Amino acid sequence: RYQIGESITSIADSVIGTIREDDRFCLAQAVSQCKNYELAKEHLFISAESIHNEEALTQCIYQTVGDIAICSNLKLLDRNGKMIGLKVAPEFLKLWKTDENEVIKAAVRNSSKLYPARYYNFLKALFMQEYKGEDFMEEDS
């Protein structure tokens, strides 16, 4: 398009617009899948929250471990290393016809697959550029 006389600014605006429209469509599609627990449960994950953050905790389902709240979240969109997630509100339980424990168990189970916890050998990390650490939460570990 540049070779036929269109400005770089115009081309960039067009590309950005297309990307934004695609993201909005994908986000709307992800939100519509939230209505069905069977589709949503594969996208659940956990995040940590302070038990002292009462405002956040009133808006989601969670279980406490010491002074940490383990909150269930729903991954809506994941692109280029950036993710949009949503804390699972208590109202979702009625919509999904399931209980809090089942949702939290699914979120914990998925978290190790979606975001594997790793430990690192310092020397390998220092000298091997392709080294990504060791996953210690796999089912066989």
Side-chain angles (χ1 to χ4, degrees), residues 34-91:
C34 293
K35 295 176 183 176
N36 182 332
Y37 180 66
E38 290 304 312
L39 295 174
K41 74 179 177 182
E42 298 301 318
H43 302 282
L44 293 168
F45 67 97
I46 60 169
S47 66
E49 185 70 59
S50 168
I51 59 169
H52 304 293
N53 189 349
E54 294 176 14
E55 183 179 347
L57 296 179
T58 59
Q59 300 173 21
C60 68
I61 62 169
Y62 65 94
Q63 288 182 350
T64 58
V65 179
D67 62 348
I68 297 172
I70 303 299
C71 303
S72 293
N73 294 266
L74 185 61
K75 180 174 71 168
L76 298 177
L77 189 64
D78 192 356
R79 282 229 177 126
N80 303 321
K82 296 179 182 176
M83 194 239 332
I84 296 175
L86 170 72
K87 281 189 170 42
V88 175
E91 293 80 13

Side-chain angles (χ1 to χ4, degrees), residues 16 20 37 104 122 124:
I16 290 168
R20 286 186 176 151
Y37 180 66
I104 290 174
F122 178 73
K124 285 182 181 178

